[in-house]
C-alpha cells in the first residue's frame, strides 16, 4: 500500500487523506460520512462489521498501538500488563506497535496492519471515517469522570500574561490532526479573540504534546496549546516542574483517547477484545502506574456518536472536511 499522505491547507483548515485502495470496496449502502469502502446501515456513525464472512479477519497476532502523544518507549512499558491480559483473554499474541505520528497510525489500520488502537481526540474522526475504526471505550477516573482540557501555556517571564498577548508573538501547535494541539485552539482563538495564525501570530508545529510542553519549559517556544492530561503526567514523572510553565487559558472538557478495533475483525473477536478492556483490573499494574498520574483508573463504555459530538462541531467550526481516496 502507498503511504498515506496528509494534505493540509492551513489557511482553509482542510484535511484530505489520500491512500491507495486495497481490498474490496463496500457495496452501495448507507454510510453517512464514512469512506466508500465502509457501510453504516445502523446509523451509529461507525463502520458496520462486514456481513460477508470472506471480508472478516482473525489474525494469529494482534497489533496494538497507542496514540503517539509522548515517548513510545514509555508507553510500551506502561501497556505491558494490559497487553498480557489481552493475550490471556484472546488466546493470541499481542504486539505493541510504536507509531510516530497520527497519519502513520491511521494508515496502519486502514491497510490492515493495525487491529487494536487508541486514537487521540482529534484523530478519532479521521480514523473512524477513513480507516474503519470502531471505538468503544475511554479511560476514566475511578469515580467515572473522564476527559481533559486544552490549555495554552507559556513560561514565567515570557511577557505573555493573557491570550491577547500572543498577538505578534509565536504559538506552538502539535499537529493539524490534534484536537487540543490545533483544532480547538484554532477555533477558540478565532471566535473568542479574533486571532489568526500568520496574520496575528507565528504558528510553529512541534509534532507532539510533550515536544510542545518541553519546548515552552525550556523557553524554545513562547507559548503552546496542549492537552493538560499530558502535562500532568510529565509533571508527575518529573520531566518538567509545575512552575516551569504558566497556564493562560483552559478550555471546556473534551473526551480523551478513544480505544477500539478495526471494523473487519471477526465479531466474536471484537467482543472478546471489548470485554478485555472493560474487565481489566488496574490495581497494581503498569497501566495504573502511568495513568494514575492523570487521574485515570478504569475503562468505561462510550459511543463515538455521542462522546465525539463536540469534536465534530469544532471540526465544522474550523471548516475541516475529510476526503479519503
Amino acid at each position: 500500500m502507498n503511504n498515506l499522505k496528509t494534505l493540509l491547507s492551513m489557511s482553509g483548515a482542510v484535511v484530505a487523506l489520500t491512500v491507495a485502495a486495497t481490498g474490496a470496496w463496500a457495496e452501495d449502502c448507507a454510510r453517512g460520512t464514512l469512506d466508500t469502502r465502509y457501510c453504516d446501515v445502523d446509523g451509529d456513525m461507525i463502520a458496520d462489521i462486514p456481513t460477508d464472512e470472506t471480508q472478516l479477519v482473525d489474525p494469529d497476532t494482534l497489533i496494538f498501538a497507542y496514540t503517539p502523544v509522548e515517548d513510545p518507549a514509555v508507553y510500551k512499558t506502561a501497556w505491558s500488563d494490559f497487553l498480557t491480559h489481552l493475550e490471556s483473554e484472546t488466546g493470541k499474541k499481542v504486539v505493541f506497535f510504536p507509531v510516530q505520528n497520527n497519519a502513520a497510525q491511521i494508515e496502519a489500520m486502514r491497510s490492515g496492519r493495525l487491529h487494536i488502537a487508541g486514537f487521540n481526540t482529534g484523530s478519532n474522526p479521521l480514523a473512524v471515517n477513513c480507516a474503519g475504526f470502531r471505538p468503544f471505550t475511554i479511560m476514566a477516573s475511578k469515580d467515572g469522570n473522564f476527559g481533559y482540557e486544552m490549555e495554552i501555556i507559556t513560561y514565567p517571564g515570557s511577557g505573555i500574561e493573557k491570550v491577547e498577548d500572543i498577538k505578534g508573538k509565536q504559538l506552538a501547535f502539535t499537529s493539524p490532526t490534534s484536537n487540543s494541539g490545533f483544532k480547538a485552539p484554532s477555533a477558540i482563538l478565532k471566535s473568542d479573540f479574533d486571532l489568526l495564525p500568520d496574520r496575528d501570530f507565528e504558528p510553529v508545529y512541534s509534532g507532539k504534546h510533550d515536544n510542545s510542553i518541553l519546548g515552552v519549559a525550556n523557553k524554545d517556544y513562547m507559548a503552546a496549546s496542549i492537552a493538560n492530561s499530558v502535562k500532568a503526567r510529565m509533571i508527575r514523572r518529573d520531566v518538567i516542574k509545575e512552575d516551569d510553565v504558566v497556564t493562560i487559558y483552559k478550555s471546556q472538557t473534551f473526551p480523551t483517547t478513544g480505544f477500539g478495533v478495526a471494523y473487519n475483525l471477526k465479531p466474536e473477536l471484537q467482543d472478546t477484545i471489548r470485554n478485555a478492556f472493560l474487565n481489566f483490573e488496574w490495581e497494581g499494574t503498569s497501566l495504573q502506574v502511568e495513568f494514575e498520574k492523570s487521574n485515570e483508573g478504569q475503562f468505561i463504555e462510550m459511543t463515538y456518536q455521542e462522546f465525539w459530538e463536540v469534536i465534530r462541531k469544532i471540526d465544522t467550526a474550523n471548516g475541516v472536511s475529510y476526503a479519503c481516496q
Side-chain angles (χ1 to χ4, degrees), residues 26-286:
E27 62 186 11
D28 189 25
C29 59
R31 59 175 53 91
T33 59
L34 299 181
D35 184 55
T36 52
R37 65 171 63 191
Y38 312 118
C39 289
D40 181 23
V41 175
D42 59 9
D44 63 358
M45 303 186 77
I46 61 176
D48 296 338
I49 300 172
T51 55
D52 182 351
E53 291 190 4
T54 64
Q55 295 183 21
L56 297 172
V57 297
D58 187 20
D60 294 330
T61 299
L62 296 170
I63 309 299
F64 171 88
Y66 179 60
T67 181
V69 292
E70 298 170 71
D71 183 0
V74 170
Y75 286 91
K76 183 176 183 180
T77 300
W79 283 97
S80 60
D81 286 347
F82 175 81
L83 298 189
T84 297
H85 168 71
L86 194 56
E87 288 183 331
S88 176
E89 292 288 298
T90 62
K92 297 176 181 291
K93 182 179 179 181
V94 181
V95 174
F96 184 89
F97 174 42
V99 293
Q100 297 299 321
N101 57 65
N102 296 321
Q105 190 179 18
I106 294 170
E107 177 188 6
M109 180 161 283
R110 182 173 169 100
S111 65
R113 294 181 286 109
L114 177 61
H115 309 116
I116 311 166
F119 283 97
N120 71 11
T121 306
S123 65
N124 245 267
L126 284 166
V128 165
N129 285 286
C130 296
F133 178 52
R134 290 172 55 88
F136 54 76
T137 187
I138 63 173
M139 289 182 179
S141 64
K142 290 181 179 179
D143 60 7
N145 291 319
F146 63 89
Y148 70 97
E149 292 78 39
M150 180 276 291
E151 292 185 8
I152 297 177
I153 61 172
T154 186
Y155 55 84
S158 68
I160 299 175
E161 297 182 356
K162 57 185 182 299
V163 173
E164 292 85 348
D165 294 337
I166 293 172
K167 189 168 185 177
K169 300 181 177 68
Q170 181 193 72
L171 177 66
F173 296 118
T174 58
S175 69
T177 56
S178 171
N179 178 63
S180 55
F182 180 76
K183 294 179 181 181
S186 294
I188 291 166
L189 288 171
K190 179 180 178 181
S191 63
D192 295 356
F193 301 97
D194 190 30
L195 290 173
L196 296 176
D198 294 317
R199 189 191 75 179
D200 299 308
F201 62 87
E202 178 194 357
V204 294
Y205 295 86
S206 72
K208 296 188 292 186
H209 288 275
D210 57 329
N211 292 347
S212 288
I213 295 164
L214 276 172
V216 171
N218 293 329
K219 302 182 180 181
D220 295 324
Y221 301 135
M222 295 194 71
S225 62
I226 55 94
N228 62 4
S229 57
V230 178
K231 185 184 75 172
R233 293 197 295 270
M234 293 177 71
I235 290 171
R236 292 182 188 182
R237 285 207 310 269
D238 294 323
V239 178
I240 66 166
K241 294 181 173 60
E242 190 167 5
D243 58 6
D244 285 342
V245 298
V246 177
T247 298
I248 60 170
Y249 182 89
K250 185 176 180 179
S251 75
Q252 70 183 89
T253 300
F254 300 119
T256 187
T257 299
F259 297 89
V261 296
Y263 83 110
N264 60 343
L265 294 182
K266 282 194 171 182
E268 55 270 28
L269 178 56
Q270 293 195 34
D271 288 341
T272 300
I273 294 169
R274 181 190 189 101
N275 291 335
F277 274 91
L278 299 177
N279 68 25
F280 179 66
E281 298 290 341
W282 285 59
E283 192 65 31
T285 67
S286 57

